[in-house]
Amino acid sequence: MASPRSANSSGKNSNGAATTKKTSGRVKNVVNYDEKRHTEELEEDIQNGAAHPPLNELEERVNDRGDSWETESLFRDSIEDLAEDKFFTDDPEACTPAESVKFRQMLRRVGPVVFCKRTVEAGVVTAKKLLTAFGIRPPAFLDGCDDDSYYGLLSLALSRELAKRAKLTKYNTIDDVVELLKASKNIIVLTGAGISTSLGIPDFRTKGIGLYSKLEHLGLNDPQEVFDISVFKQDPTIFYSVARDILPETDRFSPTHAFIALLEKKDKLLTNYSQNIDNLEAKAGISPEKLVQCHGSFATASCVKCGYKVVGDTLYAEIKAGKIPRCRKCSQGSRTTNNSRKRKLNKDGSERKVRRRPGDYDSNSDSEFDVPAASSGVMKPDITFFGEALPDEFHKRLQEHDKHLVDLVIVIGTSLKVAPVSEVVPFLPPNIPQIYISRTPVSHINFDVDLLGDCDVVVSELCRRAGWGLNHDMIPKGQVIKVTTAEGYASRHIFEQVEPAVEPEASSLSSSP
């Protein structure tokens, strides 16, 4: 009988056998099939990193087309958008789940050259249909074209599939994850913005409500330019026009932060690699020697001219007031009069008005300057901007220490789309179990078990099942969490808090850079 705090509806009967459930009126011939679980054990490849043959023959077919370079470029730009990481059970022209598993097994077993000979070239299946076996929906712009037109995209799909780490088939259930948590002694936890959104801190990429969606008014070619170091050096007003929106407003930390701190208390945490800049991991009690803040944090700030460093929160009042913090050391040495800042004049001698962006600081601000350049002695939070190197500690610890000790990898609240942090998981030994916790799955990495839902809800249920007390005021009394197994995946589970009920607008998002 299920615990009163956990309503488990994983689709099994009293004998433990899986049962088939009708989930949608538009889905026909549903097959409860797990493509990861049924992938053959590739222990030799996993241990020895065996390479697969090149895609010579398929690439030759593509290169025979006169415009192949242009098509290839288009495919490379769009393949991740076309990848849906699911079985297309709603499309009668797509491969069935069973066929998809069969083709994926064959690809890894025989390599791409023999695979293509036995499938497309033998007339067993069209290239268009074969794409669906690898989670790629054929693009609309190729509708009506000859099957040869799909070869370029198929070549990339096969390369993408072979580049993925092979799933360890013995780990599939939530109980497997709990046992791993109990047994492991050197856990790497890689975290993103999804572990902080329950505190009201926005993530970056969520459409409509993420930070990047709110920067359209700045007129940038790419919202990421807000965090580009060259842009900051040219005009810090762009960053500071939005900095007040991303400042950590609270000393509170989420249940997920508390979960990571609990791992350290139990002497299980090897390293927490965090992409977050809110410094809440430290406030949750995670020790400096166990924490690598890959993208820096607001904990300190430095002058980009002279390097003078201050505690970060000493600048918060200025930033929240819409001012640009200036280096006190630089300004003391260069200030001559209160009105010494450079002004631009019109031909008639009157002062030229400066055009401002929405959100710029008040024109009467003492820290205003008409040509704001980093060379003027501007303070910059010690967060890692695009164009800046990650701290040396990141590479040194990962390559020389953690890689050799890790026995479990847990990725929480990040879509792993920002390099080089996104390369941490593929860099680690593939025989080490890998668990993914977030609201939506990722398609470019094969994790052993996917735990989908609000991060705080997932870790609360894991701790309950492990018999660990995760005490936090954001975990409600009488919490009931329903767990279901995703259709077609024995290793993908969906967590939902059903008691007390969660208002839709109050639920946090758990994906990030």
Side-chain angles (χ1 to χ4, degrees):
M1 182 175 179
S3 164
R5 294 180 61 201
S6 173
N8 189 330
S9 53
S10 59
K12 293 185 178 181
N13 60 25
S14 59
N15 296 322
T19 58
T20 303
K21 297 179 291 184
K22 185 175 181 180
T23 58
S24 172
R26 68 182 181 84
V27 178
K28 299 179 179 180
N29 300 321
V30 174
V31 179
N32 209 6
Y33 207 92
D34 184 354
E35 60 92 3
K36 289 183 179 178
R37 183 185 179 201
H38 289 80
T39 300
E40 291 183 348
E41 293 270 10
L42 302 173
E43 297 298 339
E44 185 175 346
D45 282 2
I46 292 172
Q47 297 293 338
N48 301 322
H52 293 280
L55 298 168
N56 292 337
E57 296 190 17
L58 189 59
E59 288 175 351
E60 288 176 4
R61 297 286 293 274
V62 174
N63 292 333
D64 285 341
R65 299 176 57 83
D67 59 349
S68 63
W69 66 271
E70 184 175 354
T71 306
E72 283 289 282
S73 177
L74 179 62
F75 287 159
R76 289 185 186 279
D77 290 341
S78 62
I79 189 167
E80 291 305 325
D81 293 330
L82 296 171
E84 298 185 24
D85 190 38
K86 67 177 185 180
F87 300 126
F88 300 117
T89 52
D90 58 340
D91 185 353
E93 297 183 358
C95 291
T96 66
E99 289 172 333
S100 298
V101 172
K102 174 184 174 183
F103 286 132
R104 294 186 191 196
Q105 289 176 342
M106 183 190 301
L107 173 64
R108 288 190 177 271
R109 187 172 64 251
V110 304
V113 175
V114 175
F115 176 78
C116 291
K117 287 181 178 179
R118 294 184 181 181
T119 55
V120 176
E121 294 181 15
V124 172
V125 62
T126 64
K128 178 181 180 180
K129 182 175 181 178
L130 192 54
L131 283 172
T132 65
F134 301 97
I136 307 295
R137 191 180 292 276
F141 62 80
L142 288 181
D143 284 350
C145 295
D146 293 339
D147 200 51
D148 282 8
S149 302
Y150 294 88
Y151 287 160
L153 185 56
L154 179 59
S155 174
L156 293 176
L158 300 186
S159 297
R160 177 178 178 271
E161 180 67 21
L162 291 174
K164 296 179 183 179
R165 161 189 176 270
K167 179 196 180 311
L168 303 179
T169 59
K170 61 182 177 180
Y171 303 115
N172 297 286
T173 69
I174 301 171
D175 289 339
D176 291 338
V177 176
V178 171
E179 290 305 312
L180 284 169
L181 286 172
K182 290 181 176 181
S184 300
K185 297 296 184 182
N186 291 294
I187 303 175
I188 285 181
V189 180
L190 197 158
T191 51
I195 73 169
S196 298
T197 52
S198 60
L199 300 170
I201 300 174
D203 66 3
F204 290 84
R205 288 180 169 77
T206 299
K207 189 174 182 180
I209 62 175
L211 181 65
Y212 289 155
S213 295
K214 298 179 180 179
L215 302 182
E216 296 178 356
H217 69 279
L218 294 177
L220 303 173
N221 293 326
D222 183 341
Q224 293 184 133
E225 289 181 9
V226 167
F227 299 100
D228 188 292
I229 189 59
S230 61
V231 174
F232 182 88
K233 288 180 178 179
Q234 294 172 10
D235 187 357
T237 62
I238 295 177
F239 169 75
Y240 279 111
S241 67
V242 300
R244 71 187 87 179
D245 296 327
I246 58 175
L247 281 178
E249 296 269 346
T250 176
D251 287 338
R252 297 183 68 205
F253 50 86
S254 72
T256 306
H257 291 101
F259 167 72
I260 302 167
L262 180 62
L263 291 179
E264 181 178 355
K265 289 178 183 177
K266 290 183 174 292
D267 200 26
K268 292 177 174 292
L269 182 65
L270 179 61
T271 305
N272 176 195
Y273 290 90
S274 174
Q275 298 176 85
N276 298 334
I277 57 178
D278 51 34
N279 199 41
L280 295 185
E281 295 88 356
K283 293 179 179 179
I286 299 171
S287 304
E289 59 268 22
K290 295 287 186 179
L291 177 62
V292 175
Q293 294 175 312
C294 306
H295 296 162
S297 78
F298 278 101
T300 58
S302 302
C303 173
V304 295
K305 181 179 180 182
C306 72
Y308 178 65
K309 188 182 292 286
V310 300
V311 176
D313 59 16
T314 61
L315 306 179
Y316 285 7
E318 291 179 82
I319 297 173
K320 290 178 181 178
K323 300 178 181 180
I324 296 180
R326 304 289 296 276
C327 176
R328 295 177 179 85
K329 189 174 181 181
C330 285
S331 43
Q332 284 176 357
S334 60
R335 184 178 296 170
T336 54
T337 69
N338 289 336
N339 297 315
S340 63
R341 66 178 183 270
K342 185 175 180 180
R343 289 184 172 89
K344 295 183 179 180
L345 303 179
N346 293 315
K347 291 182 179 180
D348 60 3
S350 61
E351 185 175 346
R352 186 182 302 174
K353 293 184 178 180
V354 180
R355 191 194 320 181
R356 306 194 178 283
R357 297 178 178 83
D360 280 357
Y361 48 81
D362 188 278
S363 61
N364 294 321
S365 166
D366 289 339
S367 61
E368 174 190 348
F369 42 95
D370 293 337
V371 187
S375 59
S376 306
V378 175
M379 299 299 293
K380 170 186 167 292
D382 290 330
I383 60 179
T384 305
F385 277 48
F386 291 108
E388 292 185 301
L390 267 64
D392 292 338
E393 179 189 13
F394 169 79
H395 302 283
K396 185 174 182 180
R397 184 178 181 100
L398 181 65
Q399 297 177 17
E400 299 179 10
H401 184 263
D402 290 359
K403 180 181 180 181
H404 307 290
L405 296 176
V406 60
D407 56 9
L408 176 63
V409 179
I410 306 176
V411 177
I412 314 179
T414 172
S415 55
L416 292 175
K417 291 184 177 179
V418 176
V421 178
S422 60
E423 301 303 318
V424 169
V425 176
F427 174 77
L428 295 171
N431 61 308
I432 300 300
Q434 298 182 0
I435 310 302
Y436 185 68
I437 302 173
S438 196
R439 183 164 291 277
T440 56
V442 294
S443 59
H444 59 292
I445 297 177
N446 272 341
F447 288 94
D448 299 314
V449 186
D450 299 317
L451 306 179
L452 306 182
D454 182 274
C455 297
D456 295 342
V457 171
V458 174
V459 300
S460 176
E461 178 65 9
L462 290 178
C463 287
R464 186 198 67 77
R465 295 193 182 202
W468 297 350
L470 184 63
N471 298 317
H472 196 284
D473 59 6
M474 289 175 64
I475 299 177
K477 293 182 179 179
Q479 183 185 54
V480 177
I481 298 170
K482 181 175 74 171
V483 182
T484 55
T485 301
E487 177 187 324
Y489 295 89
S491 59
R492 181 171 293 176
H493 310 281
I494 303 169
F495 291 65
E496 179 186 5
Q497 177 177 304
V498 293
E499 291 184 22
V502 180
E503 296 294 331
E505 63 271 18
S507 61
S508 64
L509 298 172
S510 300
S511 59
S512 93

